[in-house]
């Protein structure tokens, strides 16, 4: 055991810190991702898996993503939320790397963790990633493209055509081609990833060499290591986490669209005008008022009609009177 | 007790709060504190680990599936006339219905993934070995129930995807010798999937399978507590002893974080790819190429190989191969009697697991590529 922590390989150190740190951070990052997805600020389309891998390994991908997008035209999703997510990932990654690295230094390397260890590892890993990952991306893409072409040509070889009358059946051909190019590109990806992890491990080992050896016995180290992982005040931790959970739940349900944000062509709703809400008392009083107004109007109209009739009759009487007088005068001998 | 020390001037009488009174009331009647101690004070050899979270996560996913499933049942109508329309109604008209259905849909996939992860962990840790054989067998039965949950739930929306996936699935079951015909007739309830099929799948999905899962999960937990956790497969006695801890609080915190992550993951998937139905189920597939749910695609692609064509080939691929694989899993703790649990000292086990995982990934991708040749 004593010689084990002295002679630990850089790959083992790099993997031993990066892997648990990524898992520790992804829980917090996934909560942010869900909120941003709910707000409709991120759209992954068909790249959900790739975007998840990039977010998962954000301690090394955070600065390399813009470079990969610019250099290779790669697409991880759309929306301002994607940028926000990677900016939010930075403090989360620093915290996770610090937590994991401190316990790793104590338990596995038996060294006193230096101050600001999380930040120190984060900026180094982000820098290594910014240079190394575009190289990995380019090389794996190049190898995959060539391996696909080569495997395609192999499957169409005349010698294979002779095995069966019509050449290889579709399912067999797909499996064969996929096995060939998949194995080659996976091997290249794994080899380059191991080199990258080893570079990180080398950097962390350099930091460990400069650190003081831990003075306690193994049981004492484990106690310190354990207390680093879980705070002693369980009640406080539970209350604060429950509070954060409630706040996030309220935020989630308040911003979640009530109806589907992806309406199907078959089920588009017709534009329906919303009817005003019926308020019985107001409706009755306004109706009564309207009836009264109308009744008054009718009464006024009737009065007007009567007066008009009277005036007409008067005028008629006058006219008739005049006419009778005239006719009487005319008929007088 | 000395009267001097118990005088009211020095130590005031402790008045129990309402919660303390309630706890005392329940404790007196159901033994609450003893139950709590038994549940939380389980020693975990070598301490808590992230690898142990899958069992608790599975229980959490099941609880969420039961909750979302119950809410969906308020609106879903299990008849061939209304199943499709009621599902469309859930998606397009019910408040948050689209999200609940999406969560339920992706939750079923998460359950399959977590079952496979849990089984892989048990296999790699050698935790199926003596004295945990029964625990492994009950776990396999639970795996079967989870897969059946997925199969029966797939038909319920009654669209083309549901109809044809069920038709293909029942046809595969039909090829089982002796009992195949009975199972197929029992599930379909007629020559083609119809009302009887939908009713039977619905009853299986919402009544029989949940009851069976709850009963077997209870038995699984009981056997787990009797056999005790297996602990890590490597490490010195000094290391394991130094790290040994109780279930509460370390493992519980890990389980809760795991549950939160899975919950966020399912929510993200429901938001990313909500459920969209195809056309209503019809006896003519039209342009649709029948295929099962994504976690069965590898097997579907395997059956496309020429070796599995013809009467015998179909029997070999559809029945003999899966039955032989399941039989091997059942017999595993009785065949592998070597007490060595370290996976790096069990090369056959390690290589077999890697080969199976590579096969699943390879054939799933091949199945997706194969779609281009069908369209």
């Amino acid at each position: 055991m004593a010689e084990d922590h002295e002679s630990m390989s850089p790959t083992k150190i790099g993997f031993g810190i990066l892997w648990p740190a990524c898992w520790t951070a992804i829980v917090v990052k996934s909560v942010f991702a869900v909120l941003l997805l709910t707000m409709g600020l991120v759209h992954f389309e068909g790249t959900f898996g790739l975007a998840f891998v990039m977010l998962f390994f954000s301690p090394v991908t955070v600065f390399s993503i813009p470079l990969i997008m610019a250099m290779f035209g790669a697409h991880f999703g759309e929306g301002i939320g994607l940028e926000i997510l990677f900016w939010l990932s930075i403090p989360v990654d620093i915290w996770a790397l610090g937590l994991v690295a401190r316990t790793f230094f104590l338990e596995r390397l038996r060294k006193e963790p230096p101050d600001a260890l999380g930040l120190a590892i984060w900026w180094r890993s982000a820098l290594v990633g910014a240079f190394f990952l575009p190289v990995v991306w380019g090389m794996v893409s190049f190898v995959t493209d060539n391996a696909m072409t080569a495997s395609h040509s192999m499957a169409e070889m005349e010698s294979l055509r002779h095995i069966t009358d019509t050449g290889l059946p579709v399912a067999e051909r797909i499996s064969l081609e996929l096995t060939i190019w998949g194995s080659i590109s996976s091997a290249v990806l794994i080899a380059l990833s191991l080199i990258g992890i080893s570079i990180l491990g080398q950097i962390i080992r350099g930091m460990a060499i400069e650190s003081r050896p831990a003075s306690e016995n193994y049981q004492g180290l484990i106690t310190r290591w354990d207390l680093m992982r879980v705070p002693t005040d369980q009640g406080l931790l539970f209350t604060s986490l429950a509070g954060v959970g409630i706040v996030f739940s309220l935020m989630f349900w308040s911003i979640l669209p009530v109806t589907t944000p992806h309406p199907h062509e078959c089920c588009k709703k017709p534009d329906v005008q919303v009817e005003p809400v019926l308020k019985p008392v107001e409706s009755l009083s306004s109706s009564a008022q309207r009836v009264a107004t109308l009744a008054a109007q009718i009464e006024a109209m009737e009065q007007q009609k009567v007066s008009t009739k009277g005036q007409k009759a008067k005028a008629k009487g006058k006219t008739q009177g005049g006419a009778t007088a005239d006719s009487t005068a005319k008929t007088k001998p | 007790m000395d009267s001097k020390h118990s005088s009211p001037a020095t130590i005031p009488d402790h008045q129990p709060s309402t919660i303390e009174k309630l706890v005392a009331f329940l404790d007196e009647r159901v033994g609450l504190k003893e139950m709590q101690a038994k549940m939380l004070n389980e020693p975990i050899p070598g301490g808590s680990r992230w690898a142990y979270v899958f069992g608790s996560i599975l229980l959490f996913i099941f609880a969420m599936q039961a909750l979302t499933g119950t809410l969906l049942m308020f609106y879903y109508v299990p008849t061939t006339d209304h199943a499709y329309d009621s599902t469309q109604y859930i998606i397009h008209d019910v408040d948050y219905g689209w999200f609940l259905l999406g969560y339920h849909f992706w939750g079923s996939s998460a359950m399959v993934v977590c079952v496979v992860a849990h089984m892989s962990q048990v296999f790699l840790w050698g935790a199926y070995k003596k004295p945990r054989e029964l625990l492994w067998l009950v776990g396999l039965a639970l795996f079967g129930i989870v897969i059946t949950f997925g199969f029966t739930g797939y038909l319920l929306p009654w669209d083309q995807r549901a109809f044809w996936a069920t038709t293909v699935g029942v046809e595969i079951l039909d090829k089982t010798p002796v009992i195949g015909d009975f199972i197929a007739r029992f599930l379909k309830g007629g020559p083609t999937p119809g009302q009887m099929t939908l009713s039977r799948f619905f009853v299986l999905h919402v009544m029989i399978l949940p009851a069976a899962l709850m009963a077997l999960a209870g038995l699984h937990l009981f056997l787990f507590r009797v056999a005790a956790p297996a602990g890590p497969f490597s490490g010195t006695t000094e290391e394991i002893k130094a790290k040994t801890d109780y279930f509460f609080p370390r493992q519980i915190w890990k389980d809760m974080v795991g549950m939160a992550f899975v919950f966020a993951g399912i929510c993200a998937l429901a938001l990313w790819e909500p459920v969209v139905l195809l056309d209503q189920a019809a006896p003519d597939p039209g342009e649709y190429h029948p295929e099962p749910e994504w976690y069965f695609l590898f097997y579907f692609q395997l059956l496309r190989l020429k070796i599995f064509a013809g009467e015998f080939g179909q029997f070999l691929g559809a029945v003999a191969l899966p039955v032989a694989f399941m039989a091997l899993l059942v017999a595993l703790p009785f065949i592998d009697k070597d007490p060595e649990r370290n996976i790096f000292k069990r090369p056959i086990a390690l290589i077999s697991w890697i080969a199976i995982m590579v096969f699943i990934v390879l054939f799933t991708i091949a199945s997706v590529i194969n779609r281009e040749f069908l369209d």
Side-chain angles (χ1 to χ4, degrees), chain A residues 317-330:
Chain A
K318 270 185 185 175
T319 325
Q320 271 180 349
T324 317
D326 287 347
S327 64
T328 320
K330 276 179 191 170

Side-chain angles (χ1 to χ4, degrees), chain A residues 34-48:
Chain A
V34 168
L35 284 179
L36 291 164
L37 270 166
T38 315
M39 286 179 207
L41 295 176
V42 191
H43 300 283
F44 289 123
E45 294 157 14
T47 56
F48 189 81

